[in-house]
Amino acid sequence: MAQTSPAQSLPTNPPPSSIPNLKDRLPKLEPRKRRNGAENPTPVPETPKLPSLPDTAAAWTFRTPSRRILSPKDHNIFLSSETDKLVKAWIFGLADAVVDTPCSSVKDDDLSGIAKALLKILDEAEAFVSRSPPDEQGGSRFGNKAFRGFVDLVNQSSKTWHRSLLGLDNDDAIAETSTYLLHAFGNPNRIDYGSGHELNFLMWLLCLNRLSLVQFPADAKALVLRVFPRYLEVMRIVQMAYYLEPAGSHGVWGLDDYQFLPFLFGASQLLHHPYITPRSIHQDLALEESGDDYLYLGQVRFVNSTKTVRGLRWHSPMLDDISSARNWTKIDGGMRRMFAAEVLGKLPVMQHFL
C-alpha cells in the first residue's frame, strides 16, 4: 500500500495576498445607546381651579352624606360632575402648595387658629386609644373589637369639637361635616382601614374650606405638612393598637396596605430635591435623617418597620419598581394619574365614597 510522504501531507501556505483582511469585515464598535423607556400615553391630570367659596348664608342647606355611587351609571355621573373636579382641585392644589417644601418649614408660629384647632382634635382622638384599650384577641390576628369603643368616643366628641374648637353653630352643617371626620378613622363594623378612609379626612378638610373655616392657599402648607402628618401618626397608633385589617388591600402588589396620599404629597415635596433621589428609599440613613421632613420617606420608613421581611423588593414590590424612576417628576405625575384612575376612577373604591 502506497504511503504519503510527510512533505506531501503538509499544506502549502497561501500567498499573502489571498488572506482576507478581517479588519475591513468586522463592524465598527460603537457605544450602546440607552433606550428611552416607553412614555405613558395617559397625560398627567391637570389641577382644576378651586371654585370660589359658596355663600352659605343665602338659603344654603346641608345633608348628611351617604353612599350614592352604587352602579356604573352612578359612577359615570360622578366622573363628569363638578364634584369630581372639586375633589381633584383640592387634592392636587394641596400637593402643588408643598412643592419642594419640607415639613419642618412650617413652624408653630406659622399656624393659624384653625390649624391649631385641627391639631388639638387629633391630639384628643389619640387619647381615646388609652380610654378604649385593646381586648384580648383570643388568637385572632386582625380586628380588635375594642376599636368600636374608640370610634364611639370620637363620635361622642365630634359635635363638641365642631362647636367649641371650629366655631360651627349650625347643627345641620355639623352633621354633614362630622360624618367625613368619623369615617376618616376606619370602619367599626369591618374593623378595617384603608386609603378610602384617608380620603375622608381630606374631604373633612374640604368641607371646612367650603364653610370658610380653612383658608386656601393660606392654610395649605399647614394642612399638608403639619395636620396631615399628625393624622398619619394617630392612625398608625390606631392601626397598631387594634390591628385594623387593610380595607380592600391588594397585598404586597399594592402601593401600601393603608395609605396613598403620603406618596402623592411626598412626591411633590421632593420634586426638585438636589440630592434625595427616588433610589434613596433603599437607604436606611436617608429614611432616618429625612423621614420626618418628607412624607414619602416617612411612609416608607413606617412600612419597613411593620414588615417581618427585610427589603422593599419582597414586601412592597410596587414601591421598589417606582424607585427606579429617573426623577421625582415621573413619580409625581404617576401618583396623580393613580389617584385619578385607581381611586376616583374605580367603582369598587367609589362605592364607599360619601
Side-chain angles (χ1 to χ4, degrees), residues 109-156:
D109 293 340
D110 300 329
L111 298 176
S112 64
I114 190 69
K116 293 177 180 177
L118 296 173
L119 291 173
K120 183 173 178 58
I121 289 173
L122 292 172
D123 289 342
E124 294 187 11
E126 180 187 333
F128 292 157
V129 175
S130 60
R131 291 177 56 185
S132 182
D135 299 329
E136 291 294 331
Q137 283 291 90
S140 176
R141 179 185 174 191
F142 286 115
N144 195 296
K145 293 182 180 179
F147 174 64
R148 292 166 182 164
F150 167 82
V151 175
D152 286 342
L153 291 171
V154 171
N155 192 25
Q156 294 168 16

Side-chain angles (χ1 to χ4, degrees), residues 201-251:
F201 184 76
L202 271 296
M203 294 303 96
W204 177 56
L205 298 179
L206 174 58
C207 287
L208 298 179
N209 168 257
R210 297 292 89 188
L211 291 168
S212 302
L213 297 174
V214 167
Q215 303 300 317
F216 186 91
D219 291 318
K221 284 186 172 63
L223 294 181
V224 179
L225 305 181
R226 290 292 299 272
V227 176
F228 183 64
R230 184 71 184 105
Y231 165 73
L232 291 177
E233 291 175 359
V234 173
M235 287 315 306
R236 288 166 185 169
I237 293 171
V238 171
Q239 288 166 224
M240 303 301 286
Y242 302 113
Y243 297 97
L244 301 186
E245 190 166 0
S249 172
H250 295 290

Side-chain angles (χ1 to χ4, degrees), residues 1 16-17 55 69 72 82 84 122-123 133 153 164 184 190 199 208 210 225 236 265 274 287 308 318 332 341:
M1 183 174 177
S17 59
D55 182 7
I69 304 174
E82 292 301 314
D84 176 77
L122 292 172
D123 289 342
L153 291 171
S164 62
R190 297 190 301 268
L199 182 60
L208 298 179
R210 297 292 89 188
L225 305 181
R236 288 166 185 169
F265 294 148
L287 298 180
T308 56
M318 182 178 284
D332 177 71

Side-chain angles (χ1 to χ4, degrees), residues 91-103:
I91 299 297
F92 295 159
L94 290 175
D96 292 341
V98 297
V99 169
D100 301 333
T101 309
C103 295

